[in-house]
Amino acid sequence: MISLTTTSFLMGVSTPCSTPSATGRRRPVALKVVSMDSHVRAGERSGSVVVDNNSVKEIPNAPSPVFQVEPKSTPAASASTEEQIMTPWTVSVASGYNLLRNPRHNKELAFTEKERDAHYLRGLLPPTVLAQNVQVKKMLHNIRRYQVPLLKYMAMMDLQERNEKMFYKLLIDHVEELLPVVYTPTVGEACQKYGSIFRHPQGLYISLREKGKILEVLRNWPERNIQVIVVTDGERILGLGDLGCQGMGIPVGKLSLYTALGGVHPSVCLPVTIDVGTNNEELLNDEFYIGLRQKRATGQEYAELIDEFMTAVKQHYGEKLLIQFEDFANHNAFDLLAKYGATHLVFNDDIQGTASVVLAGLITALKFVGGSLADHRFLFLGAGEAGTGIAELIALEISKQTNAPLEETRKKVWLVDSKGLIVSSRKDTLQHFKKPWAHEHKPIKELIDAVKEIKPTVLIGTSGVGRAFTKEVVETMTSINEKPIIFSLSNPTSQSECTAEEAYKWSQGSAIFASGSPFDPVNYKGKVFVPGQSNNAYIFPGFGLGLIMSGTIRVHDDLLLAASEALASQVTQDDFDRGLIFPPFAKIRKISAHIAASVAAKAYELGLATRLPQPRDLVKYAEGCMYSPSYQNYR
Ligand SMILES: O=C([O-])CC(=O)C(=O)O
Ligand SMILES: [Mg+2]
């Protein structure tokens, strides 16, 4: 008997954020019959759940006007044969056995008696019917039984591939507990071991072998209405270096957060890994490695593959497609952002997302320390994407607040790289993104000497070098400042410049501390200190939602500043009273709605937003767009 068929279908209404082709119609695809019995075709039987590849709606009144292309609570029978033949794209109709194996629509034991009858599920499930919250409780219980974080990660990935709504319900309802499982720090270990734990392929792999065929590869992806891509080439995964093709865990994890934290519908998200080889010898010699076994392609070969990708995705998904660059090495990240920033809606999370979250943390930290940003001196260890990105956003914000020229405000920020303090005498040998930070000063080799000399009020680690903030460094910061601001941002936990415990202990409880990876609260001399997690996860989901829902076509620095200010504004007096400089992740969906609204408002102000008319209440609009992980009724 029929289980799943695929056929052509008219998508009908195009909602604000769907991405029709230039002609307003999607490219037809060949009729593909995935599985069919001899007498029933798609749409000809009742009891099928429409799972059209563009989206997603099984019940009326579901909330998102942005991500849903067309409400379809009824079976595909509504499409006439003529429509099926003449019109583009595909609709899948799943029922019975294949409905249980369709992660987007599977409800497992939550299928009701009526649904079991209507969708040919009788006998395929044991008699009990469980509510979603009971399923979530059971899954959480099972996950908690694993002691090893990687096993928890694997259980979560299995769930995502089995029952997407339950995955998101679990993640959203228990975000503080499960964020470190599906994201930093565990995702770092998962990428390192991705080959040996590999079970279900997630995301799209584009390797050098697909050169010249990327458009075809995009057509293999089951969803057509993609609105956000997170792409990596795996060369600098967190602070762990080159993990080649196994970097896929990062786009997958980031996009899970787009959905869980920002409410962007999973069907419009596409994780991509571009595999140009790896220089990681260990992986090249690992029999379980999943990528191309060759050294990284560079130069023209690399540039051509990336360019083909960028051209293909814009052509296939439209110019409002958001492309988030993630974990590229410095030597490509800045150039890619500059090159494609002019032609595509691109955002580099490591340069811009991290900058935006850190600026928010600095704005709120001033509540404890006093003064304005312009009154502070900033010293960075690490002058790569995060370091220079944050430095620039701080300088921009000070310039905005004081009307001082950017060249002047940059002078408040100093950076140390592996060769020491960045100073003007090094200018000729510096990579271009470091040059704006080469101020007049005598050369200094060691961080500790730079701290003594520059006397920063704020010390920020973006070096990827674990434990680089030594006891002496933290103590020196403490001797200079009543309340030193110390952010040790490198990920995962092993690469953090110092731990929360070290920061509080060595500063005798005076530090305002935040880290990129999560640390538990620290009890120091009877007082509990709660470290902030200054991770771009606070920003990119809401930022992306704001861009998508407003149809914004380019990213502008002012949008990043708007996101920072919105995040800072979400820290309540109660949070401050508890010593927090970031709001709890438990409130992240509300926070994301505010970030999205501020970003969209700024985009409208700058004339970058194309979705007109501008919604009157952008926060409400953002909330209304958000994906709900609750099960829907299949009539
Ligand atoms: O993924 C994270 O946790 C933050 C980030 O972008 C990075 O460290 O590259
Ligand atoms: Mg990153």
Side-chain angles (χ1 to χ4, degrees), residues 280-300:
N280 183 327
E281 286 296 332
E282 211 179 305
L283 288 180
L284 287 173
N285 294 322
D286 176 352
E287 63 174 326
F288 299 135
Y289 180 56
I290 58 168
L292 289 183
R293 274 171 213 276
Q294 65 166 74
K295 290 266 190 243
R296 277 187 178 275
T298 56
Q300 197 181 340

Side-chain angles (χ1 to χ4, degrees), residues 18 20 36 257 346 484 567:
S18 68
M36 187 175 78
L257 269 49
V346 290
L567 174 56

